[in-house]
Amino acid sequence: MLDRLPRTSPIVAAEHPELVAWLRVTLQLNMGVNAYRARRWAECAGWYARALSGWMDLGFDDRAFDTLLRVGDIAGKADVPIDEEFLLALAPNAARIETRLGDGATLVIQQLVREAVISMSGRPASADGLFLLWQIAKGARLAPVLASGLAYDVAGDERGRRLLSIIDHLRAQLSLAQGAAQADPDVLLDEEMILTAYARDRDVEGGATRYEQLANVEHTHDEHVTRQMLLATGNSWSAFMGLDDLRSRLGDRTVLLSMYLGAVADGRMAVYMLFVTSDEVGVTVIPHDFPSSVIDLGGLRTTALGLLVEHARRDVADPPLGRRMVSRDAEDTLQAYLPGLLGHISERLQEFKAAGRDHLCIVPHGPFHFFPFHLLGAPGHPLAEDFAVTYLPHLYLLAVGRNQAANPQPGTAIGMGFAVDDRPALGPLPEAVPEAHEIAALFGRQALVEEQATEEAAIAALRDSRVVHLATHGRHNVDAPAFQTLYLYPTADSDGMLHAYELRAGAERIRGGTGGSPPRASTASGSRGRRR
């Protein structure tokens, strides 16, 4: 009847388009309810998919969220596979849902993906379907931002500038260097634990102390910048890569390993690893013998796998004895984790190498963004001995339309020694400058060290170089990732603190407006992955 309305009652259709659209979506939802009661799961998912999209188009966010929960109810109750319908319901709207409905919707979507992956892993599954699901779970709302090429406009953001002014004032009162993250001294959790959890179920602090006030305002600014970037995409639909597109981007030397942390049907946690080459795709599932539950540590939310990452990082940071690359405990850990993280792919590494595939590109998930995969392997023979190991934070960075031309400079090395730096908590790094000179010589260039290592120089390096080596201090900020900081040489025009949000603001400068490839950044890690 509604389909015939423009012909039978053109005046009503023209004068009341939103009412007609509301009636259509309401009917679609009710058809889904009828199909649910009849246990026709595939039909139900299809109707809910239409209703979900319709509520989003009308701006009825509460009803869209309710419909999303209904889709989740299907995933939990269906006794027949509905994976294709699930993908149709979720994939096109994932970015819009997360942007508009917030963190609550993100958690629902991640749980839906988790259930779908478990369902698909119990039978021969489509690699394309898993690949799409993992993209939904691992940053769907970021893909439209990356696709848009938008930069954050600091100068044009009045509220953002006002928040930064408050932050600077609070830091001055606390005698902190601008941009330095400072934890409340009463908090006992150390950096390794905080970093590998990297997700805080965070209520706003009471504001009784300046530390709490600073944490609140930084968190507010971080959320504000993120939302500004997401909304600037114009309510964009999700952007995904297909496997064929990805394979065409890899070349003959690359093996891409895309990780997903999920569970198997019996409730155990599992590592899913998809490997992709230019002519082959495969999936391995590695169950681990601990439950897939969330662990709460003083407001930090992590999992048993997050604790494993924390343990490995702690072992790697321990000083080795003699000529070992890492400590004996770290050697044992890294050898055991190779099959535990790569599964049967670990048995094919030499086959890949013999075929000339000497580049492993790893797309991590969750706490494994901070895991040293390049150190996995037998004692004294890590993966980095046989392969160039790189890390890709988001798959869409390989999408068609990006990275069409090589950056003009092969590599830039930047080093800061901090021998005479009086900024708080920035101790000397005696190896940083020699390390930068050594790396720069590999590219036939001069290193940028000490007073040459300015914010402007770092941004130019990120814009023009294929590889950037940074040997300097940095600081994490768990509550407000926009304030992750690199410490560089201060000048009359800059404070020497390069924040993450400033890099996003300079995105066009970094890309150079030419479609050039973004640089790979190596860290000042030597061979052990030591953090600076």
Side-chain angles (χ1 to χ4, degrees):
M1 181 179 70
L2 288 176
D3 290 336
R4 297 195 300 271
L5 192 62
R7 298 192 302 274
T8 58
S9 301
I11 296 177
V12 173
E15 292 184 354
H16 305 283
E18 290 188 356
L19 176 60
V20 173
W22 182 87
L23 288 171
R24 184 186 304 278
V25 177
T26 302
L27 286 172
Q28 290 169 345
L29 182 64
N30 288 335
M31 293 295 289
V33 171
N34 292 337
Y36 181 90
R37 290 171 177 168
R39 300 179 66 85
R40 298 193 300 270
W41 307 119
E43 179 184 342
C44 176
W47 285 117
Y48 282 168
R50 297 182 185 92
L52 177 61
S53 181
W55 291 134
M56 295 295 294
D57 290 340
L58 287 170
F60 285 35
D61 290 354
D62 289 344
R63 297 195 179 189
F65 188 73
D66 175 74
T67 306
L68 178 65
L69 294 177
R70 292 172 183 265
V71 176
D73 194 39
I74 297 174
K77 294 181 180 299
D79 52 9
V80 293
I82 58 164
D83 304 318
E84 292 182 6
E85 290 74 19
F86 172 80
L87 294 176
L88 290 173
L90 191 59
N93 287 290
R96 294 203 301 166
I97 291 168
E98 291 192 53
T99 299
R100 293 252 298 274
L101 306 185
D103 291 342
T106 298
L107 292 174
V108 174
I109 287 175
Q110 290 177 348
Q111 184 59 37
L112 291 176
V113 171
R114 188 184 186 91
E115 294 293 335
V117 170
I118 292 173
S119 173
M120 294 175 73
S121 65
R123 60 187 188 281
S126 160
D128 291 277
L130 286 172
F131 186 57
L132 177 56
L133 281 173
W134 294 356
Q135 289 182 78
I136 294 171
K138 295 168 63 175
R141 65 178 175 175
L142 262 182
V145 176
L146 295 172
S148 71
L150 291 170
Y152 169 55
D153 182 10
V154 179
D157 182 5
E158 181 178 351
R159 181 166 185 252
R161 287 187 285 109
R162 187 165 63 251
L163 290 170
L164 287 174
S165 177
I166 296 171
I167 289 168
D168 290 344
H169 177 68
L170 287 169
R171 289 192 183 284
Q173 290 181 316
L174 291 167
S175 300
L176 300 176
Q178 182 185 12
Q182 176 69 43
D184 189 318
D186 293 333
V187 176
L188 299 178
L189 294 172
D190 69 5
E191 178 188 294
E192 297 298 347
M193 183 63 70
I194 291 173
L195 181 63
T196 54
Y198 219 72
R200 178 167 293 191
D201 189 8
R202 183 186 188 280
D203 295 323
V204 174
E205 304 290 349
T209 69
R210 288 194 175 95
Y211 282 113
E212 290 182 352
Q213 295 168 17
L214 178 60
N216 287 339
V217 182
E218 285 184 338
H219 185 70
T220 299
H221 182 271
D222 179 82
E223 289 188 330
H224 171 72
V225 171
T226 300
R227 187 162 181 79
Q228 290 295 107
M229 292 297 301
L230 294 173
L231 293 177
T233 63
N235 200 28
S236 295
W237 296 81
S238 302
F240 300 110
M241 286 188 72
L243 270 177
D244 289 341
D245 289 338
L246 176 61
R247 289 167 62 180
S248 70
R249 303 285 290 166
L250 294 183
D252 295 331
R253 296 178 54 188
T254 299
V255 180
L256 183 136
L257 302 176
S258 180
M259 169 183 270
Y260 172 72
L261 303 183
V264 289
D266 62 8
R268 289 179 297 161
M269 291 205 75
V271 173
Y272 291 76
M273 191 70 79
L274 176 78
F275 76 88
V276 186
T277 71
S278 58
D279 56 16
E280 186 180 4
V281 176
V283 180
T284 185
V285 183
I286 309 105
H288 290 262
D289 289 329
F290 33 76
S292 59
S293 54
V294 174
I295 302 169
D296 188 278
L297 299 168
L300 292 174
R301 296 167 55 247
T302 187
T303 65
L305 285 175
L307 296 180
L308 288 179
V309 175
E310 181 264 340
H311 172 73
R313 286 177 58 90
R314 205 181 293 276
D315 281 349
V316 168
D318 286 341
L321 296 176
R323 300 176 62 85
R324 282 191 174 89
M325 187 177 298
V326 293
S327 69
R328 188 185 297 274
D329 286 343
E331 286 180 342
D332 294 341
T333 297
L334 294 166
Q335 184 173 18
Y337 279 18
L338 180 61
L341 295 179
L342 302 189
H344 80 271
I345 298 172
S346 63
E347 301 171 2
R348 298 195 56 188
L349 292 175
Q350 292 307 310
E351 174 189 338
F352 290 139
K353 181 182 176 183
R357 301 190 186 279
D358 58 357
H359 171 214
L360 297 181
C361 180
I362 298 170
V363 189
H365 188 206
F368 285 91
H369 280 282
F370 308 98
F371 185 84
F373 285 90
H374 56 286
L375 296 180
L376 288 173
H381 197 94
L383 288 180
E385 291 284 341
D386 295 327
F387 297 90
V389 182
T390 61
Y391 298 85
L392 191 68
H394 197 289
L395 195 64
Y396 204 78
L397 292 169
L398 292 180
V400 175
R402 300 178 61 89
N403 316 331
Q404 294 298 311
N407 288 351
Q409 300 296 339
T412 299
I414 297 173
M416 284 282 294
F418 297 96
V420 293
D421 201 302
D422 59 359
R423 286 176 287 184
L426 301 182
L429 295 176
E431 299 174 1
V433 171
E435 189 176 81
H437 284 301
E438 184 177 350
I439 296 295
L442 298 176
F443 298 105
R445 304 194 67 198
Q446 294 295 316
L448 301 177
V449 298
E450 304 298 11
E451 65 272 8
Q452 299 169 316
T454 63
E455 288 187 62
E456 183 178 359
I459 290 175
L462 292 169
R463 179 190 64 219
D464 296 334
S465 302
R466 286 185 57 80
V467 177
V468 178
H469 176 85
L470 294 165
T472 185
H473 277 297
R475 194 178 291 271
H476 297 290
N477 190 322
V478 176
D479 280 327
F483 289 93
Q484 314 271 35
T485 306
L486 284 176
Y487 291 88
L488 298 161
Y489 197 88
T491 68
D493 300 319
S494 73
D495 56 15
M497 319 289 182
L498 186 57
H499 310 299
Y501 77 85
E502 292 177 301
L503 287 176
R504 190 64 218 177
E508 291 301 329
R509 288 183 292 162
I510 292 172
R511 283 195 302 275
T514 63
S517 59
R520 296 202 308 268
S522 72
T523 61
S525 58
S527 60
R528 296 177 53 228
R530 184 184 302 118
R531 63 192 184 281
R532 297 261 209 264

